[in-house]
Amino acid sequence: MRFSDEPVQEVVSDCMPTIQSLEPHSCSDDSSQGTHPSVPIFEQYCTLESHSGTSGYAIHNSPSTVSFSPNGSSEQDTESFPVYSHQSSDNTCGSPVNESCLTDDVDDLRHKIRELETAMLGPHSDTPDICSITNPVGPVQIPYDAEKCKQMMEMISRWDLKEVLCACAKAIEENDRFTTEWLMSHLQQMVSVNGEPIQRLGAYMLEGLVARLASSGSSIYKALRCKEPASAELLSYMHVLYEVCPYFKFGYMSANGAIAEAMKDENEVHIIDFMIAQGSQWITLIQGLAARPGGPPKIRITGIDDSTSAYARGGGLDIVGNRLSKLAESCKVPFEFNAARVPAAEVQLEDLGVRPGEAIAVNFALVLHHMPDESVGSQNHRDRLLRLVKSLSPKLVTLVEQESNTNTAPFFHRFLETLKYYTAIFESIDVTLPRDHKERINVEQFCLARDIVNIIACEGPERVERHELLGKWRSRFTMAGFTPYPLSSLVNATIKTLLKSYSEKSWGDNLRLQN
């Protein structure tokens, strides 16, 4: 995102890779092609001040990069995990239910379901029979929904993993414990961390469902954190994910391009990065500014840390500062690093070390969705940080976020959003990283699974993965006093080239550029 003190045309160009999405209430996939992410669609549209048709743009799940100008006044324990099969990568992840299992006889259906219940929970289970529950007064007969049972059996016979996952999530939402556990027993046979993208994603989504059913979402989420690999290994996995999945590199490169253009005539540049991680985003920017006609500017970077990145790098922000300083020295770029040793949610003005005469760029890359907002509690750090940044009068602010509605959406809708978004992520990994690659499972488990489990299993303050749609981010920035600003045609062309390089076969036919 870009902020400028000069008057700008109040239009915005947003870069969102489009993804073939599931229907809101249907998870079956009738196409043999699956869900394939395509390259960004660059569309221009007016802000609220100049055009009322703001709902006319199509937004899908992907990291989003937007430009703004600040001058506008508007707008359980680990033993509870399912046991997953490690099968070959073909489509046969188990034998479908035989058609002979399907019957219209209610008594036969009741008998078969009781057999499934016995197989799942044991012959002496204390779980009440689905058709009769005894209370102190006497037996209470529960109407038997033969049609529903038949539909479930037919669904299992189709062996459609997306459909069964969604049915299981719906059963949890409706507090239907029996159906939930019955479907989970089948899902355990359908998922595999070695299989197709949907099988691998399904394994982690099933983990989340099991954790939610057991009301142990936070403990499993913490257990996943405790099972992190050694710091050097985690750093390696994060690097692999960055290289093989286009969405992350897409966002960082878009932000860098916007910053480079905004600072092309500045002599002193101060970049404030609210999640600097390993500092890798700024390598190409420093190299690019070093080659600027007339010489490079003086660059100062303020880095704000996060616990995961600190663990991965095996130390504090000094590691990042030393790395970037050595790079800048080799490029003959005047450079200074300011380490802000405070969590992003707690940043105050004095932590940023702003000096007079600097041209300021603020970078929010995959960090604001971790900030609790008004839906979580009385402390709305999400909007507070935006107001703080506005008080700095920055020339540019960049926002890189996942385009997914998992913040205030109710559980089932959030489950569908997660399935839709991460299907594209797992399929993009499948295109660029061989399925038998020894690090692929580790990349998906340690870099993606934890977030998936958190979104599905946790609620309240314990749910820290809270993504929002572009429209909501736009509203937040507008209320803080920023105005959207377009990415240039040069940046758009650069991102188009980047996306083409990932997979000509998968995305070549879908490549579009709309001006």
Side-chain angles (χ1 to χ4, degrees), residues 165-183:
L165 281 168
C166 292
C168 188
K170 190 66 175 176
I172 290 178
E173 183 184 57
E174 296 173 349
N175 296 316
D176 186 346
R177 181 83 181 213
F178 180 85
T179 300
T180 298
E181 294 180 352
W182 184 73
L183 291 172

Side-chain angles (χ1 to χ4, degrees), residues 176 250 252 274-275 281 293 322 326 329 415 422 426 500:
D176 186 346
F250 157 80
Y252 295 142
F274 271 80
M275 192 174 75
Q281 176 178 350
N322 291 336
K326 290 179 181 179
E329 184 179 1
F415 182 89
Y422 281 97
F426 276 69
K500 285 182 64 177

Side-chain angles (χ1 to χ4, degrees), residues 191-224:
V191 302
S192 169
V193 295
N194 285 324
E196 299 285 337
I198 185 58
Q199 289 178 280
R200 307 198 307 265
L201 172 59
Y204 302 122
M205 298 197 73
L206 180 54
E207 266 187 16
L209 291 174
V210 169
R212 186 178 184 89
L213 183 65
S215 300
S216 61
S218 61
S219 62
I220 287 186
Y221 180 65
K222 292 174 183 177
L224 285 170

